[in-house]
Amino acid sequence: MTTGDTHPAKPTQAVVLAGGQGSRLRPYTDDRPKPMVEIPGTGTPIIGHQLAWLAAEGVTDAVVSCGHLADVLKDWLDQADLPLKVTTVVETEPLGRGGGLKYAAAHLPKTDQPWYATNGDIWTRFSLRDMAAFHAERDATATLALARPRIPWGAVETNRFGQITDFIEAPPSPYLINAGVYVFSADFTGLLPDRGDHERTTFPRLAREKRLAGFPLPQGAYWRAIDTAKDLTEAAKELAAQRR
């Protein structure tokens, strides 16, 4: 059972943080928010893929936090045939990442139960149920999914004499990174700042108290952050390869 929770069941609610401007994705984001950019060849925006994944993992209610060009996103959500119930919220003033997350979480239907959260520019597939079980087993207040992305450049290996021995194209990073997907216990919401960045306040505090867990994505799990036009192209290639 997770700290502060009276419900050990897997979360059935989630927050999607979809307010980013996506300046590095221009011109795609000139007329739409970043999560509304379509993966080429799918006809579905990033957030559509996310909501389908959340529903497949047992989520019945999602709160989508909107910001940049919020009306475009809200209109699409209103018209789309979605597999779960969606509520949209818009910050009336900038609250920062932590404050925005707290504001969105206040609109979840079951504030006394755990919840998932995901950044609106992440396209991934792995078992959220397994991550929730990992979170509960460690009695964590918050659990971060951890990814090992590929370095976008080729790497060079040398021996101790400085002679080049090998070239490695886009090797995996030696470091794990925050994958932008989370499991939170119910009491996590009260630890978030009303304004400011929880990654500079709440997360370090939980880490010091050994209440912050990291769930490495399973071997072979698909994960990509859509930040640039190159990411869109690569995601489309990877999707086409999966379909073959």
Side-chain angles (χ1 to χ4, degrees):
M1 186 180 296
T2 51
T3 303
D5 284 338
T6 57
H7 301 271
K10 304 297 187 291
T12 59
Q13 53 187 359
V15 168
V16 180
L17 298 172
Q21 292 191 14
S23 56
R24 290 197 293 165
L25 263 175
R26 288 176 176 161
Y28 297 100
T29 51
D30 285 344
D31 61 354
R32 68 195 65 191
K34 192 176 182 182
M36 280 299 300
V37 174
E38 292 183 3
I39 305 295
T42 70
T44 303
I46 299 167
I47 194 166
H49 292 283
Q50 286 188 320
L51 293 173
W53 172 54
L54 290 171
E57 291 293 324
V59 174
T60 58
D61 295 88
V63 175
V64 177
S65 178
C66 309
H68 176 63
L69 297 174
D71 288 343
V72 177
L73 178 53
K74 286 167 44 175
D75 287 348
W76 184 84
L77 291 170
D78 287 342
Q79 297 171 23
D81 182 16
L82 300 174
L84 72 178
K85 182 181 178 181
V86 172
T87 302
T88 57
V89 298
V90 181
E91 296 174 31
T92 55
E93 56 183 325
L95 300 174
R97 290 194 295 178
L101 185 60
K102 186 173 188 176
Y103 178 72
H107 294 79
L108 290 167
K110 303 168 185 174
T111 56
D112 63 336
Q113 295 190 23
W115 46 291
Y116 298 117
T118 181
N119 295 341
D121 58 356
I122 300 299
W123 191 26
T124 186
R125 287 293 185 277
F126 65 91
S127 174
L128 281 175
R129 293 180 174 90
D130 286 352
M131 184 176 173
F134 179 97
H135 170 85
E137 287 165 2
R138 282 148 186 82
D139 199 26
T141 299
T143 297
L144 287 60
L146 304 177
R148 194 181 297 276
R150 291 196 168 274
I151 298 172
W153 309 281
V156 176
E157 287 190 345
T158 63
N159 62 19
R160 62 193 180 96
F161 297 108
Q163 298 165 323
I164 292 175
T165 58
D166 200 4
F167 294 90
I168 305 172
E169 186 65 29
S173 167
Y175 299 104
L176 292 167
I177 67 164
N178 180 350
V181 180
Y182 312 88
V183 183
F184 297 133
S185 299
D187 59 346
F188 174 77
T189 309
L191 302 177
L192 287 165
D194 294 327
R195 294 175 182 271
D197 188 349
H198 62 294
E199 295 194 11
R200 295 180 180 273
T201 55
T202 310
F203 280 175
R205 171 187 167 184
L206 291 176
R208 289 192 300 270
E209 296 172 354
K210 301 295 189 290
R211 293 195 288 156
L212 186 68
F215 175 76
L217 296 190
Q219 183 73 25
Y222 183 83
W223 180 89
R224 179 174 287 278
I226 307 297
D227 290 320
T228 65
K230 182 179 179 182
D231 291 325
L232 283 175
T233 302
E234 293 298 320
K237 288 180 181 177
E238 290 161 353
L239 182 62
Q242 290 173 12
R243 289 175 170 173
R244 285 198 292 268

